[in-house]
Amino acid sequence: MASLNLSAAVIGALCVLCLPSVLAVNQPPHVVFILADDYGWHDVGYHRSEISTPNLDKLSAAGVRLENYYVQPLCSPSRSQLMTGRYQIHTGMQHQIIWPCQPYCVPLREKLLPQLMKEAGYATHMVGKWHLGMYKKDCLPTRRGFDTYFGYLTGSEDYYNHTHCAPVPPLNLTRCALDLRDGEEVATGYRGAYSTELFTDRATSIIAKQEPSKPLFLYVALQAVHAPLQVPESYVAPYSFIQDPDRRLYAGMVSAMDEAVGNITLALQQRGLWENTVLVFSTDNGGQTLYGGSNWPLRGRKWSLWEGGIRGVGFVASPLLKQPGTVSRGLIHISDWLPTLVGLAGGRINHTQPLDGFNVWNTISKGFASPRVELLHNIDPLYVDITSCPGRDRGLTLAEAVSGSSGANSGFNVSIHAAIRSSNWKLLTGYPGCDIWFPRPGGNGSTSKADPLKPVMLFDIEKDPEERNEVSEQFPAVVDLLLRRLHQHQRSALPVTFPDDDPRCDPGPAGAWGPWA
């Protein structure tokens, strides 16, 4: 395997991003979308992290940093909205993730982003984590628009042996089995290859073989930096100053990911594609503080609707940007990428299901105002936080604790886990998830808690991104308006799809995770 180690010369090569593009582009741009997993707000260098990310810093500094950018608090929901351009309430995927033995996937009636790019004449390739359902072959990436696929189908796995362990409740056992596919075939022979390097090698190989005259859509969904905390020691060595062992390992994983992004960018330059490429970098959700991640100074973490769970690290790097080297504070959501990228490709979206995303290219490239003024974060009537939260005995929902409804006139049940953003306002109902502020890594601060939660909470996010000053009593008209908007969204929601586990999912002691129906 090629080493991920980038020399100073390689990093220096990225300075070509600082040069104005002189290429007259007569064809649609190549699009490379890199999705990190569980990458925290505080864990990128340009957010004053102690973790070094020279490639992400350089790329984003020469591009456009998205500082008012939102994702979903979990893996499958973010990926489904990226691929469909639709809120998860409109696909029935508003509750949790797709677990390995659940017999469902992103509804097959949905036309996904790679299908639309392929219709626009693109070569479409995917590398990395799918996590959008696999119970039957029609759910697989190669049946949903990708020409090629190399990666894993479940939500996480061992970085070296590429096995995933999951309970099979109907059989009362836990199964550990291989989860790696090349196309639709099980991929063996990669044991010992670190996944960040393995996926980067495949991505750069695709780029090296790409004909410049054929537009490329490459989706690289890295395993990093999701648990388990595994990384070659060479990446951990520079972080001996970090006392927390989980944070130290996590930092090494971030460094490996940062070099992977640099190598992918370098491959685009060497193949002569960069001058006509749009590269998007995004996390899928906030960092998981249980495994070394940090969203400081934001409140909450992965699995929550607090800013720490949903405000995402993201940027666009491209010589095609009209205002490079800027920061965008326009409201942008992960569902906006489908109409934005299909628009860049010259494709059509008038034959999809109704979209919730907006084309935000002019917001990113030219600094125009965002067409998005409202964002539904989610409505999940079944929500339970299954992860431990300091100071809480278990994942409690306010649906269990709240009697009566302070929003009765709106028609919306405020015990339901939900959140909506409108302009500068953010309203949360029910139990939003772990509600504390985790301290800055390496700092002297301690975990801090706020006043007891209310069934309805309002924050001015523009003035108060840390969600410390709850103002629902001062702005009752805003509360009423946003509760009515939640009620309207809820009326358009599909029933939750969250089927019981199917025992036929069990791959057996010598099998591999994959379709069974």
Side-chain angles (χ1 to χ4, degrees), residues 87 91 174 224 241 299 307 314 318 340 375 389 402 404 447 471 476 511 516:
Y87 291 147
T91 58
T174 295
F241 64 91
R299 188 178 190 178
E307 292 293 286
S318 174
T340 300
L375 168 56
C389 181
V402 175
T447 298
V471 295
W516 68 85

Side-chain angles (χ1 to χ4, degrees), residues 3-22:
S3 171
L4 277 178
N5 291 325
L6 284 177
S7 65
V10 171
I11 295 175
L14 296 178
C15 72
V16 299
L17 304 177
C18 305
L19 299 176
S21 174
V22 295

Side-chain angles (χ1 to χ4, degrees), residues 439-450:
R440 184 173 186 170
N444 297 321
S446 59
T447 298
S448 58
K449 296 184 68 176

Side-chain angles (χ1 to χ4, degrees), residues 176-227:
C176 294
L178 181 66
D179 183 11
L180 192 64
R181 301 248 162 185
D182 195 341
E184 297 182 6
E185 302 300 318
V186 176
T188 59
Y190 294 97
R191 186 180 183 88
Y194 186 61
S195 76
T196 304
E197 180 175 5
L198 180 64
F199 295 149
T200 304
D201 286 348
R202 178 57 65 98
T204 56
S205 174
I206 290 169
I207 292 168
K209 297 174 183 176
Q210 179 67 27
E211 289 298 327
S213 60
K214 174 82 170 179
L216 167 69
F217 174 57
L218 174 60
Y219 173 44
V220 184
L222 293 170
Q223 182 176 354
V225 286
H226 196 290

Side-chain angles (χ1 to χ4, degrees), residues 256-378:
M257 177 188 70
D258 178 76
E259 290 194 0
V261 175
N263 274 339
I264 290 170
T265 308
L266 181 63
L268 291 165
Q269 295 167 2
Q270 292 176 335
R271 184 57 179 156
L273 306 181
W274 177 254
E275 291 298 315
N276 191 32
T277 291
V278 172
L279 184 147
V280 181
F281 178 89
S282 171
T283 185
D284 67 339
N285 46 249
Q288 178 51 277
T289 58
L290 296 170
Y291 299 106
S294 174
N295 305 298
W296 185 87
L298 303 177
R299 188 178 190 178
R301 64 184 182 199
K302 177 182 177 179
W303 278 88
S304 83
L305 289 174
W306 302 107
E307 292 293 286
I310 58 176
R311 186 174 285 218
V313 175
F315 65 82
V316 176
S318 174
L320 304 178
L321 293 165
K322 301 301 183 184
Q323 293 188 5
T326 58
V327 172
S328 171
R329 303 196 186 278
L331 184 60
I332 297 174
H333 182 239
I334 195 166
S335 65
D336 297 331
W337 291 120
L338 183 145
T340 300
L341 299 180
V342 174
L344 280 173
R348 298 185 303 114
I349 58 173
N350 58 3
H351 58 306
T352 67
Q353 299 288 333
L355 297 182
D356 297 302
F358 293 84
N359 186 333
V360 292
W361 181 247
N362 284 337
T363 301
I364 296 168
S365 179
K366 300 178 182 178
F368 289 5
S370 174
R372 176 181 287 282
V373 295
E374 181 186 273
L375 168 56
L376 177 67
H377 292 303
N378 197 22

Side-chain angles (χ1 to χ4, degrees), residues 124-179:
T124 58
H125 304 278
M126 179 180 172
V127 178
K129 174 176 170 175
W130 178 237
H131 207 193
L132 290 176
M134 61 169 186
Y135 81 105
K136 61 182 180 180
K137 285 188 175 181
D138 283 347
C139 299
L140 297 180
T142 46
R143 307 287 178 101
R144 306 302 299 265
F146 286 106
D147 295 329
T148 69
Y149 171 66
F150 181 72
Y152 61 107
L153 300 173
T154 62
S156 64
E157 63 178 13
D158 188 283
Y159 278 75
Y160 290 99
N161 63 30
H162 313 294
T163 60
H164 176 80
C165 297
V168 187
L171 302 181
N172 196 30
L173 59 81
T174 295
R175 179 68 69 200
C176 294
L178 181 66
D179 183 11

